[in-house]
Amino acid sequence: MQTISLLGATGSIGASTLDVIRRYPNDYRLVSIAGGRRVEELADIAEAFQVETVAVADVTQLDALKAALAKRNLSHVEALAGNDAMEKLASDKRVTTVVQAIVGAAGVAPTFAAAKAGKRLLLANKESVVCGGALLMDTIKANGATLLPVDSEHNAIFQCLDGARDDARQTCRLLLTASGGPFRGRKDLRGITPEEAVAHPKWSMGAKISVDSATLMNKGLEVIEAHWLFDVTPDRIDVVVHPQSVVHSAVVHEDGSMIAQLGATDMRHPIAYAMGYPKRLDAKTERLDLARIATLTFEAPDLETFPLLKMAFEALEAGGGASIVLNAANEIANAAFLARELPFTGIARTVRHMLDTFKAPAPTSVDEILALDEAVRAATREAIAANPSLRTE
Ligand code: NDP
Ligand code: MG
C-alpha cells in the first residue's frame, strides 16, 4: 500500500491523479491534499477520499477551509495553511509518496522537502527542477529519495531508458517532442488573446502551462528539466515539433537507433506509470489506433517566431542562476499576459530583457534559490511597469 500526499490536488494534474487513485483503492491511499486557495474544491476532495489532512497555501483562506470542511461534517480533518504547510505535507511520516503537482516556483520548497525526507517523489512541477538544478538532484541522491517524472516527455524518456546500460546513457541523445501549441505555423503573434493562448489543441492543462506551451517556453523548461533529470548535456538534447502528440519523446542511441514511447494524449498515462513503477498500472486510457491516426508528422521548431525555446538553451549553457532568472521572469510575464497587462509578444521580450540585465551566481541552498526567485520576480514587475517597449506590440 502506498500512502500519498497530493500537492496541487485541485489542478489539472491533481484531477488526473485522483482519477488513477480512485481506480486502485487497495493499492493507494490518499492521506493528505494541498492546493493554492480554492477551499471548496479541496473540501470536496477531502470528502470523496476521506483524507486526514488538508492544506491551503493562502493563509487568508484557513477559516474558509475549516468552514468548508465543517459543512461536510469533516471537522475532524486537520486543516493547515501557508507555505510551511506544503513542506510539512511533503515530508510527512504518514506518506510514502508525494505527488508534486503545484504550479510554478511555489513548488520548489515542497519538492526539496520531499527529497530531504527520502520520499517516492512523483514530479509534475517542472519549475522546481529548473530552479533546483544540481542542488535538487544531489538532495534526492543524498537522502535516498526516488524521483519519478510525471511530465509526459520525461516520463517517456524514463521509459525509453529503463534497462539501458550506463554507458548508453552517457552517449545517447534525447529527443523531446513538442506539439507546437495553438500558434504553430504562424509568423505574426500580435493580437493574441489569453483565451486563444490557453486553448491548447491537444492537451487540457492549467492556464500557466497552456500559455507556456503557446510560447514554447514549456519546451524550454522541459529541456532544462531533461538535462537535470537524465544528466544529459544540452548539446545532446533536441526538440522536434510533432503536432499529433502521439510520440511523447525518444532516446537516440549512439548507433542511430531511436527508441520512442507512444501513447494517448492523456496525463493519466504517465501518472499511472509513475505510481505503479516498476509495475505497469492500467489507467484505462484510450488505446492508440495507429491505422486510424494514419499520419504522424514532424517538423523543426520555429525558433525565430518562438524565441523562448532558444533562450532556455541559452540559460542552461550560461549556468549560474540564469535558469532561475528565466523561470521567474517567465512566470511574471505569463501572469501579466493572462491579466491582459502584457501582449503575448511581450512575454518573450520581457524574459529576454531579464536574462540580459539580471545576472546571478548559482544559489547554494534552497533559501538562496527562493531569494533569487523573489528578487527576479520583483525586478521583472518593475521592468514591465517601467518599459513601455515591453508592453506594446
Ligand atoms: P493547474 O493550474 O491546473 O493546477 C495548479 C495547482 O497548484 C492547483 O491545485 C493550485 O491550487 C495549486 N497551487 C497554486 N499555487 C499554489 C501554491 N502557492 N501552493 C500550493 N499549491 C498551489 O496546473 P497544472 O495541473 O496544469 O500543472 C501543475 C504542474 O504540473 C505545473 O508545474 C505544470 O508545468 C506541470 N505539468 C502539467 C501538465 C498538464 O497536463 N497539466 C503536464 C506536464 C506538467 P488552486 O486550485 O487553489 O489554485
Ligand atoms: Mg510536458
Side-chain angles (χ1 to χ4, degrees):
M1 166 73 80
Q2 282 183 44
T3 46
I4 298 180
S5 178
L6 172 55
L7 312 180
T10 53
S12 163
I13 293 287
S16 295
T17 305
L18 292 172
D19 194 70
V20 179
I21 295 174
R22 204 178 278 123
R23 290 174 195 279
Y24 291 92
N26 298 327
D27 300 314
Y28 302 93
R29 187 165 64 83
L30 190 59
V31 172
S32 54
I33 54 171
R37 57 189 323 278
R38 290 187 294 157
V39 296
E40 291 295 333
E41 286 83 349
L42 280 172
D44 283 341
I45 300 166
E47 185 175 29
F49 288 83
Q50 299 286 304
V51 307
E52 295 168 23
T53 303
V54 184
V56 61
D58 183 345
V59 284
T60 67
Q61 295 301 309
L62 181 58
D63 288 343
L65 173 60
K66 287 181 178 165
L69 290 169
K71 203 164 75 184
R72 294 165 179 80
N73 292 322
L74 297 174
S75 299
H76 57 281
V77 171
E78 183 185 25
L80 304 172
N83 293 329
D84 295 354
M86 302 300 138
E87 292 176 64
K88 199 171 164 195
L89 293 201
S91 55
D92 190 340
K93 287 211 167 55
R94 292 172 297 175
V95 305
T96 57
T97 304
V98 175
V99 181
Q100 219 298 39
I102 293 173
V103 60
V108 168
T111 294
F112 271 95
K116 279 184 196 146
K119 299 295 182 196
R120 187 175 161 101
L121 173 58
L122 277 55
L123 193 59
N125 177 242
K126 65 192 82 184
E127 296 90 343
S128 58
V129 181
V130 170
C131 296
L135 193 62
L136 176 61
M137 301 321 289
D138 290 347
T139 307
I140 287 168
K141 209 179 272 173
N143 295 283
T146 306
L147 193 154
L148 295 160
V150 166
D151 208 348
S152 60
E153 296 76 3
H154 307 75
N155 189 273
I157 290 168
F158 186 86
Q159 294 193 42
C160 295
L161 281 174
D162 204 16
R165 297 187 326 268
D166 279 351
D167 59 336
R169 284 167 178 258
Q170 275 149 28
T171 52
C172 68
R173 301 183 70 83
L174 306 182
L175 180 63
L176 296 177
T177 52
S179 72
F183 310 125
R184 182 179 62 89
R186 272 176 69 158
K187 289 283 176 200
D188 185 353
L189 302 179
R190 287 175 301 178
I192 287 170
T193 64
E195 290 75 16
E196 289 168 329
V198 299
H200 196 275
K202 279 287 163 194
W203 300 92
S204 162
M205 311 180 285
K208 191 260 176 186
I209 183 176
S210 296
V211 173
D212 284 348
S213 298
T215 61
L216 288 203
M217 175 51 106
N218 182 50
K219 211 48 54 182
L221 297 175
E222 290 182 355
V223 166
I224 302 174
E225 182 185 13
H227 163 69
W228 293 116
L229 293 190
F230 303 111
D231 192 21
V232 168
T233 49
D235 58 304
R236 287 195 285 128
I237 305 176
D238 300 308
V239 173
V240 68
V241 172
H242 166 46
Q244 296 82 19
S245 298
V246 168
V247 177
H248 293 319
S249 277
V251 171
V252 187
H253 287 288
E254 215 177 355
D255 61 352
S257 186
M258 185 183 286
I259 315 283
Q261 189 264 338
L262 284 68
T265 48
D266 185 330
M267 286 307 293
R268 288 175 301 178
H269 202 135
I271 292 166
Y273 183 82
M275 276 174 59
Y277 184 80
K279 280 197 317 201
R280 282 188 184 271
L281 285 190
D282 184 359
K284 304 285 182 217
T285 51
E286 193 189 332
R287 295 304 191 248
L288 284 185
D289 180 344
L290 291 180
R292 193 166 57 82
I293 294 168
T295 309
L296 298 178
T297 62
F298 301 90
E299 63 200 47
D302 175 355
L303 299 176
E304 298 310 314
T305 313
F306 301 94
L308 282 163
L309 175 55
K310 213 164 44 181
M311 283 185 235
F313 272 103
E314 189 188 311
L316 190 51
E317 299 279 6
S323 292
I324 296 173
V325 174
L326 173 95
N327 181 68
N330 177 62
E331 282 193 34
I332 295 300
N334 179 315
F337 164 68
L338 284 170
R340 296 175 211 277
E341 290 157 12
L342 199 65
F344 186 79
T345 52
I347 302 175
R349 278 200 304 275
T350 301
V351 176
R352 175 78 270 160
H353 176 80
M354 295 312 296
L355 279 179
D356 291 342
T357 56
F358 203 119
K359 304 289 176 193
T364 56
S365 67
V366 183
D367 286 344
E368 282 183 26
I369 293 174
L370 300 178
L372 175 56
D373 173 68
E374 203 40 63
V376 179
R377 284 167 190 274
T380 308
R381 284 190 202 99
E382 276 168 31
I384 292 173
N387 293 293
S389 65
L390 299 178
R391 282 179 274 119
T392 37
E393 296 220 272

